[in-house]
Amino acid sequence: MQTHTLVIPGVDLVYDVRGPLPPTGAHRALLMIGQPMAAEGFTALAPHFTDRTVLTYDPRGLGRSVRKDGRSDHTPQQQAADLHALVQALQVGPVDVFASSGGAVTALELVATHPDDVATLVAHEPPINAVLPDATAAERARAGFYEAYQAKGSGAGMAAFIAMTSWQGEFTDAYFAQPAPDPAMFGMAADDDGSRDDPLLSRNSWAITDYRPDASVLTAAPTRIVVAVGEESAGTYTARTALGLAALLGQEAVVFPSHHGGFLGGEFGYAGKPEEFAARLREVLNAG
């Protein structure tokens, strides 16, 4: 793996390359993206694709990518523009993309604005409130973990976030009637750590869950879009958003092994099934 930096307006964008540039062989370069997860989240998945050139990167202001634009918000529009600059600079387009969580939202915006950059997009559980029948309630639930974070710090905020993302089904009165979860239930300290700018728990990334995909633009693009959902995610928030997006695009979601972090190998204490996940991803990519 080689690490490089692309200097573009507002950020020194750090990216990693596994394999030759330009790509050789029968396959396109494979770009793997997340948000707010940086490139380190793909250390278990990327090695399963030795027959491809694999690109990973740290989004603007996250991980190793040093931000210089004076902003702290994370928007799909800015991140898609950064990815377009990267694809253009490396002269590797169109690429295949595996994008998970907030990275899948970025990838949808990349397809919408620069459709010739992406041949196949596998969008894994993108968290988009607008595709839910209970979108307003989902926004209220999001506000709940934000308020817990602002009041008591990351332990309380993360506990409320886990409670939201693990809730089964729509956010009903029963959800909002629950007492605030105890961080100790999840092995976290309840003490206020003083942080208020976490990209997951603050408002800095609300533009991602507020994203409104344009079905007419996405279905008109030359890109093949595959919406993916984890088999163990059934009924949870991101599984429901995946199914909602698939329905918006007139397709059915493709089931992948494991859960929202199914490609992880133990990083962040959230182990999935990376070998099985990689096999499924290869199967989906090759089908295109």
Side-chain angles (χ1 to χ4, degrees):
M1 185 179 75
Q2 295 184 338
T3 298
H4 306 276
T5 300
L6 177 66
V7 179
I8 55 179
V11 66
D12 295 341
L13 201 69
V14 177
Y15 64 96
D16 305 306
V17 181
R18 295 171 172 84
L21 278 179
T24 58
H27 298 297
R28 300 180 184 89
L30 174 58
L31 174 63
M32 297 181 176
I33 61 175
Q35 208 288 335
M37 186 183 70
E40 62 182 353
F42 298 104
T43 54
L45 181 63
H48 290 282
F49 291 88
T50 54
D51 57 334
R52 288 178 177 259
T53 296
V54 176
L55 308 172
T56 55
Y57 92 124
D58 290 355
R60 175 179 294 237
L62 299 171
R64 301 161 295 173
S65 291
V66 179
R67 196 164 194 165
K68 300 181 294 184
D69 59 4
R71 300 175 66 108
S72 60
D73 58 328
H74 305 285
T75 72
Q77 293 77 16
Q78 182 62 74
Q79 292 185 359
D82 290 346
L83 285 174
H84 173 64
L86 180 62
V87 170
Q88 291 292 104
L90 299 182
Q91 299 181 1
V92 291
V95 296
D96 288 338
V97 179
F98 169 70
S100 186
S101 195
V105 183
T106 297
L108 290 168
E109 177 65 11
L110 179 62
V111 171
T113 53
H114 301 286
D116 292 334
D117 283 357
V118 184
T120 294
L121 164 61
V122 180
H124 182 246
E125 299 197 6
I128 302 173
N129 288 334
V131 300
L132 294 176
D134 57 327
T136 300
E139 292 171 3
R140 180 183 171 192
R142 178 185 64 180
F145 73 71
Y146 164 75
E147 290 163 4
Y149 176 55
Q150 292 299 310
K152 298 182 179 179
S154 62
M158 184 58 73
F161 173 81
I162 294 171
M164 175 193 171
T165 54
S166 60
W167 179 259
Q168 287 284 315
E170 295 189 12
F171 296 108
T172 60
D173 290 343
Y175 172 81
F176 296 107
Q178 298 178 107
D182 182 355
M185 294 169 54
F186 307 105
M188 296 179 293
D191 296 340
D192 190 337
D193 62 350
S195 75
R196 295 296 185 272
D197 59 354
D198 183 281
L200 186 65
L201 303 176
S202 70
R203 287 182 174 174
N204 290 347
S205 299
W206 277 23
I208 293 167
T209 47
D210 282 340
Y211 185 72
R212 292 184 173 272
D214 188 326
S216 62
V217 171
L218 292 171
T219 54
T223 305
R224 170 180 171 246
I225 300 175
V226 178
V227 181
V229 62
E231 62 182 345
E232 297 173 21
S233 300
T236 64
Y237 168 68
T238 53
R240 295 195 303 117
T241 57
L243 297 179
L245 174 64
L248 181 70
L249 300 180
Q251 59 177 262
E252 293 187 4
V254 175
V255 178
F256 269 61
S258 198
H259 44 59
H260 189 65
F263 51 91
L264 298 174
E267 307 91 329
F268 320 112
Y270 198 51
K273 300 175 181 177
E275 185 172 356
E276 294 176 35
F277 197 99
R280 183 63 166 140
L281 178 57
R282 180 182 299 278
E283 179 182 289
V284 170
L285 291 172
N286 288 347

